[in-house]
Protein backbone atom coordinates (compact mmCIF):
# COMPACT_ATOMS: atom_id res chain seq x y z
CA UNK A 1 0.00 0.00 0.00
CA UNK A 2 2.78 2.44 0.96
CA UNK A 3 4.95 1.60 -2.04
CA UNK A 4 2.02 2.03 -4.43
CA UNK A 5 1.06 5.34 -2.83
CA UNK A 6 4.61 6.67 -3.22
CA UNK A 7 4.75 5.48 -6.84
CA UNK A 8 1.55 7.39 -7.54
CA UNK A 9 3.19 10.47 -6.05
CA UNK A 10 0.80 10.69 -3.09
CA UNK A 11 1.83 12.87 -0.16
CA UNK A 12 -0.41 11.02 2.27
CA UNK A 13 -2.72 8.04 2.61
CA UNK A 14 -6.47 8.63 2.62
CA UNK A 15 -8.28 8.28 5.95
CA UNK A 16 -9.46 4.82 4.88
CA UNK A 17 -5.96 3.58 4.00
CA UNK A 18 -4.40 5.32 7.02
CA UNK A 19 -6.75 3.41 9.30
CA UNK A 20 -6.08 0.11 7.55
CA UNK A 21 -2.39 0.63 8.30
CA UNK A 22 -3.09 1.49 11.96
CA UNK A 23 -5.46 -1.47 12.31
CA UNK A 24 -2.76 -3.80 10.98
CA UNK A 25 -0.67 -2.67 13.98
CA UNK A 26 -3.51 -3.40 16.40
CA UNK A 27 -4.78 0.15 16.89
CA UNK A 28 -8.59 0.17 17.25
CA UNK A 29 -10.35 2.06 14.43
CA UNK A 30 -13.98 2.66 13.44
CA UNK A 31 -15.87 -0.01 11.50
CA UNK A 32 -16.11 1.43 8.02
CA UNK A 33 -16.27 0.91 4.28
CA UNK A 34 -15.82 2.93 1.11
CA UNK A 35 -18.84 3.57 -1.10
CA UNK A 36 -18.78 4.68 -4.71
CA UNK A 37 -22.51 5.17 -5.09
CA UNK A 38 -25.53 5.99 -2.99
CA UNK A 39 -26.91 2.44 -2.84
CA UNK A 40 -23.57 1.15 -1.65
CA UNK A 41 -23.47 3.82 1.05
CA UNK A 42 -26.96 2.86 2.24
CA UNK A 43 -26.07 -0.86 2.28
CA UNK A 44 -22.85 -0.20 4.22
CA UNK A 45 -24.69 1.94 6.77
CA UNK A 46 -27.25 -0.82 7.39
CA UNK A 47 -24.42 -3.32 7.83
CA UNK A 48 -22.41 -1.09 10.20
CA UNK A 49 -25.40 -0.08 12.34
CA UNK A 50 -26.92 3.31 13.16
CA UNK A 51 -26.03 6.11 13.57
CA UNK A 52 -23.27 6.47 10.96
CA UNK A 53 -20.88 9.14 9.71
CA UNK A 54 -20.21 9.89 6.04
CA UNK A 55 -16.98 11.54 4.90
CA UNK A 56 -15.43 12.46 1.62
CA UNK A 57 -12.34 10.28 1.28
CA UNK A 58 -9.20 10.73 -0.77
CA UNK A 59 -5.44 11.06 -0.39
CA UNK A 60 -5.72 14.78 -1.07
CA UNK A 61 -8.68 15.51 1.20
CA UNK A 62 -7.03 16.51 4.45
CA UNK A 63 -9.17 19.05 6.27
CA UNK A 64 -12.47 17.34 5.75
CA UNK A 65 -14.70 19.32 8.10
CA UNK A 66 -13.47 22.64 6.68
CA UNK A 67 -14.34 21.38 3.23
CA UNK A 68 -17.82 20.35 4.39
CA UNK A 69 -17.11 16.65 3.78
CA UNK A 70 -17.97 15.30 7.23
CA UNK A 71 -21.61 14.45 7.98
CA UNK A 72 -22.11 13.20 11.54
CA UNK A 73 -24.92 11.37 13.26
CA UNK A 74 -26.91 10.10 10.28
CA UNK A 75 -29.84 8.13 11.67
CA UNK A 76 -31.56 6.49 8.72
CA UNK A 77 -31.26 5.62 5.05
CA UNK A 78 -32.78 8.90 3.96
CA UNK A 79 -30.12 10.83 5.91
CA UNK A 80 -27.39 8.70 4.33
CA UNK A 81 -28.65 9.21 0.79
CA UNK A 82 -28.95 12.97 1.28
CA UNK A 83 -25.46 13.20 2.84
CA UNK A 84 -24.00 11.09 0.04
CA UNK A 85 -25.45 13.46 -2.55
CA UNK A 86 -24.07 16.51 -0.76
CA UNK A 87 -20.55 15.08 -0.49
CA UNK A 88 -20.45 13.61 -4.01
CA UNK A 89 -21.88 16.85 -5.41
CA UNK A 90 -19.49 19.13 -3.48
CA UNK A 91 -16.97 19.16 -6.29
CA UNK A 92 -14.17 18.10 -3.91
CA UNK A 93 -11.01 17.57 -5.93
CA UNK A 94 -9.49 14.15 -5.48
CA UNK A 95 -12.59 12.50 -4.04
CA UNK A 96 -11.94 8.74 -4.24
CA UNK A 97 -15.09 7.57 -2.55
CA UNK A 98 -17.39 8.24 0.37
CA UNK A 99 -16.42 6.67 3.66
CA UNK A 100 -19.28 5.23 5.70
CA UNK A 101 -18.33 4.60 9.33
CA UNK A 102 -19.80 3.91 12.73
CA UNK A 103 -20.47 7.01 14.82
CA UNK A 104 -18.44 6.65 18.03
CA UNK A 105 -20.36 7.85 21.09
CA UNK A 106 -18.58 10.00 23.70
CA UNK A 107 -17.12 13.47 24.11
CA UNK A 108 -13.63 12.61 25.31
CA UNK A 109 -11.13 13.12 22.46
CA UNK A 110 -7.41 12.34 22.41
CA UNK A 111 -4.74 12.91 19.79
CA UNK A 112 -1.99 10.37 19.09
CA UNK A 113 0.86 11.19 16.77
CA UNK A 114 4.17 10.22 15.29
CA UNK A 115 6.79 12.74 14.26
CA UNK A 116 10.40 12.33 13.20
CA UNK A 117 12.99 14.39 14.94
CA UNK A 118 16.38 14.81 13.20
CA UNK A 119 18.12 14.12 16.52
CA UNK A 120 15.78 11.78 18.40
CA UNK A 121 14.24 9.84 15.50
CA UNK A 122 10.62 8.70 15.64
CA UNK A 123 8.73 10.25 18.57
CA UNK A 124 5.26 9.37 19.83
CA UNK A 125 2.85 12.05 21.03
CA UNK A 126 -0.21 11.90 23.23
CA UNK A 127 -2.36 14.99 23.50
CA UNK A 128 -5.75 16.36 24.29
CA UNK A 129 -8.07 16.39 21.29
CA UNK A 130 -11.33 18.06 20.46
CA UNK A 131 -12.34 21.67 20.75
CA UNK A 132 -9.77 22.43 23.48
CA UNK A 133 -6.67 21.20 21.59
CA UNK A 134 -5.54 24.69 20.54
CA UNK A 135 -6.53 26.28 23.83
CA UNK A 136 -4.88 23.91 26.26
CA UNK A 137 -1.94 22.56 24.20
CA UNK A 138 -1.46 19.55 26.43
CA UNK A 139 1.00 17.14 24.81
CA UNK A 140 3.49 14.52 25.98
CA UNK A 141 6.29 13.01 23.87
CA UNK A 142 8.47 9.89 24.06
CA UNK A 143 11.11 8.50 21.74
CA UNK A 144 10.36 5.18 20.05
CA UNK A 145 10.58 2.35 20.90
CA UNK A 146 8.28 2.63 23.89
CA UNK A 147 7.77 -0.10 26.45
CA UNK A 148 4.64 -0.47 28.55
CA UNK A 149 6.17 1.50 31.44
CA UNK A 150 7.03 4.47 29.20
CA UNK A 151 3.60 4.40 27.57
CA UNK A 152 2.04 4.31 31.02
CA UNK A 153 4.24 7.27 32.06
CA UNK A 154 2.89 9.28 29.13
CA UNK A 155 -0.68 8.78 30.33
CA UNK A 156 0.41 9.85 33.83
CA UNK A 157 2.30 12.96 32.66
CA UNK A 158 -0.61 14.05 30.51
CA UNK A 159 -2.05 17.08 32.33
CA UNK A 160 -5.57 16.32 31.13
CA UNK A 161 -5.32 12.77 32.48
CA UNK A 162 -8.47 13.35 34.52
CA UNK A 163 -10.47 12.75 31.33
CA UNK A 164 -8.98 9.24 31.28
CA UNK A 165 -10.53 8.52 34.66
CA UNK A 166 -14.19 8.12 35.59
CA UNK A 167 -15.76 11.26 34.15
CA UNK A 168 -19.34 12.52 34.34
CA UNK A 169 -20.85 9.10 34.81
CA UNK A 170 -18.57 7.61 32.15
CA UNK A 171 -16.17 4.72 32.76
CA UNK A 172 -12.39 5.19 32.95
CA UNK A 173 -10.59 4.86 29.62
CA UNK A 174 -9.11 1.50 28.73
CA UNK A 175 -5.51 2.46 29.59
CA UNK A 176 -4.13 -0.89 28.43
CA UNK A 177 -5.44 -0.28 24.90
CA UNK A 178 -4.24 3.33 24.97
CA UNK A 179 -0.73 2.17 25.97
CA UNK A 180 -0.71 -0.54 23.29
CA UNK A 181 -1.75 2.06 20.71
CA UNK A 182 1.06 4.43 21.73
CA UNK A 183 3.58 1.56 21.51
CA UNK A 184 2.18 0.60 18.09
CA UNK A 185 2.56 4.14 16.75
CA UNK A 186 6.22 4.04 17.78
CA UNK A 187 6.70 0.66 16.10
CA UNK A 188 5.30 2.01 12.84
CA UNK A 189 7.87 4.81 13.03
CA UNK A 190 10.69 2.34 13.52
CA UNK A 191 9.55 -0.27 11.00
CA UNK A 192 8.09 1.72 8.12
CA UNK A 193 10.54 4.15 6.56
CA UNK A 194 7.93 5.38 4.09
CA UNK A 195 5.87 6.90 6.89
CA UNK A 196 6.80 10.51 7.64
CA UNK A 197 4.16 11.43 10.20
CA UNK A 198 0.98 10.10 11.75
CA UNK A 199 -1.86 12.13 13.13
CA UNK A 200 -4.72 10.29 14.84
CA UNK A 201 -7.11 13.13 15.53
CA UNK A 202 -9.22 12.26 17.30
CA UNK A 203 -9.22 8.96 19.12
CA UNK A 204 -12.54 8.95 21.01
CA UNK A 205 -13.05 7.48 24.49
CA UNK A 206 -16.59 6.14 24.62
CA UNK A 207 -18.76 6.22 27.78
CA UNK A 208 -17.75 2.63 28.58
CA UNK A 209 -14.05 3.48 28.31
CA UNK A 210 -13.49 1.91 24.88
CA UNK A 211 -11.14 3.64 22.46
CA UNK A 212 -11.39 4.11 18.74
CA UNK A 213 -9.49 6.17 16.18
CA UNK A 214 -12.24 8.00 14.26
CA UNK A 215 -9.86 9.99 12.04
CA UNK A 216 -6.30 9.25 10.98
CA UNK A 217 -3.76 10.70 8.59
CA UNK A 218 -0.55 8.97 7.53
CA UNK A 219 1.79 11.44 5.81
CA UNK A 220 4.36 9.84 3.53
CA UNK A 221 8.01 10.76 3.29
CA UNK A 222 8.96 12.00 -0.11
CA UNK A 223 10.00 9.02 -2.24
CA UNK A 224 13.61 10.22 -2.41
CA UNK A 225 13.86 10.42 1.40
CA UNK A 226 12.24 7.06 2.20
P1 LIG B 1 -11.05 16.45 9.81
O1 LIG B 1 -10.39 16.00 8.53
O2 LIG B 1 -11.70 17.78 9.66
O3 LIG B 1 -10.11 16.38 10.96
P2 LIG B 1 -12.56 14.32 11.15
O4 LIG B 1 -12.72 13.03 10.47
O5 LIG B 1 -11.60 14.39 12.28
O6 LIG B 1 -12.25 15.44 10.05
O7 LIG B 1 -14.00 14.78 11.68
C1 LIG B 1 -14.18 16.00 12.35
C2 LIG B 1 -14.73 15.77 13.74
O8 LIG B 1 -15.95 15.05 13.70
C3 LIG B 1 -13.82 14.92 14.63
O9 LIG B 1 -12.85 15.71 15.27
C4 LIG B 1 -14.79 14.31 15.61
O10 LIG B 1 -15.12 15.22 16.65
C5 LIG B 1 -16.04 14.11 14.77
N1 LIG B 1 -16.08 12.74 14.19
C6 LIG B 1 -15.53 12.34 13.03
N2 LIG B 1 -15.76 11.04 12.79
C7 LIG B 1 -16.46 10.59 13.83
C8 LIG B 1 -17.01 9.30 14.19
N3 LIG B 1 -16.86 8.23 13.40
N4 LIG B 1 -17.68 9.20 15.37
C9 LIG B 1 -17.84 10.29 16.16
N5 LIG B 1 -17.36 11.51 15.89
C10 LIG B 1 -16.68 11.67 14.74
MG1 LIG C 1 -9.60 14.99 12.37
Amino acid sequence: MLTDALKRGQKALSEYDSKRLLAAYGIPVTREGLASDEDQAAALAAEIGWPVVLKGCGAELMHKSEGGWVELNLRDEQDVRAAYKRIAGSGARGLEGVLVQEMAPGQRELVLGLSRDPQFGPCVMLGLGGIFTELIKDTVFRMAPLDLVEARDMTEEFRSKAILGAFRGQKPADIQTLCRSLIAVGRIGLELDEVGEIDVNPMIVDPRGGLKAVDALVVLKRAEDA
Side-chain angles (χ1 to χ4, degrees):
M1 191 162 81
L2 290 166
T3 318
D4 287 351
L6 281 170
K7 270 195 205 135
R8 283 194 296 266
Q10 283 176 223
K11 294 192 176 65
L13 299 182
S14 68
E15 175 178 338
Y16 181 70
D17 285 343
S18 296
K19 282 171 166 169
R20 286 203 299 159
L21 177 63
L22 298 184
Y25 274 80
I27 298 171
V29 303
T30 41
R31 257 179 300 143
E32 61 190 34
L34 260 186
S36 46
D37 64 44
E38 208 184 297
D39 290 337
Q40 238 176 21
L44 273 170
E47 198 182 305
I48 289 165
W50 308 95
V52 294
V53 175
L54 259 60
K55 296 180 188 173
C57 188
E60 287 169 39
L61 300 188
M62 299 203 186
H63 305 287
K64 299 175 299 278
S65 9
E66 281 168 35
W69 309 309
V70 178
E71 302 254 2
L72 299 171
N73 210 20
L74 307 170
R75 308 204 145 271
D76 56 31
E77 188 177 322
Q78 217 182 337
D79 281 358
V80 166
R81 289 182 182 275
Y84 187 95
K85 286 199 188 84
R86 282 193 294 272
I87 294 171
S90 69
R93 274 188 36 218
L95 188 71
E96 290 161 16
V98 173
L99 196 50
V100 181
Q101 65 190 214
E102 67 178 295
M103 169 96 190
Q107 291 86 43
R108 295 178 285 178
E109 297 193 352
L110 305 172
V111 181
L112 272 62
L114 174 79
S115 54
R116 292 190 186 271
D117 183 275
Q119 207 171 344
F120 301 117
C123 293
V124 179
M125 186 268 278
L126 169 67
L128 181 65
I131 53 173
F132 299 117
T133 316
E134 310 285 305
L135 205 65
I136 302 187
K137 292 209 171 59
D138 183 9
T139 50
V140 187
F141 290 86
R142 281 289 183 288
M143 277 160 54
L146 267 69
D147 61 23
L148 204 49
V149 174
E150 289 168 306
R152 191 75 203 211
D153 281 349
M154 290 180 81
T155 68
E156 290 293 324
E157 259 175 46
F158 181 45
R159 281 187 289 130
S160 311
K161 66 181 175 196
I163 72 160
L164 301 176
F167 177 82
R168 294 187 163 224
Q170 307 187 2
K171 294 259 160 55
D174 174 358
I175 295 290
Q176 185 84 358
T177 298
L178 178 56
C179 290
R180 289 216 184 99
S181 300
L182 292 166
I183 293 168
V185 168
R187 265 186 59 210
I188 297 175
L190 289 171
E191 292 175 10
L192 302 178
D193 270 346
E194 301 90 336
V195 172
E197 285 168 42
I198 300 175
D199 189 24
V200 178
N201 186 4
M203 176 174 263
I204 290 188
V205 186
D206 72 38
R208 294 164 65 189
L211 296 164
K212 227 159 242 184
V214 310
D215 182 24
L217 174 66
V218 171
V219 178
L220 301 174
K221 275 195 201 161
R222 290 183 311 150
E224 57 270 35
D225 299 341

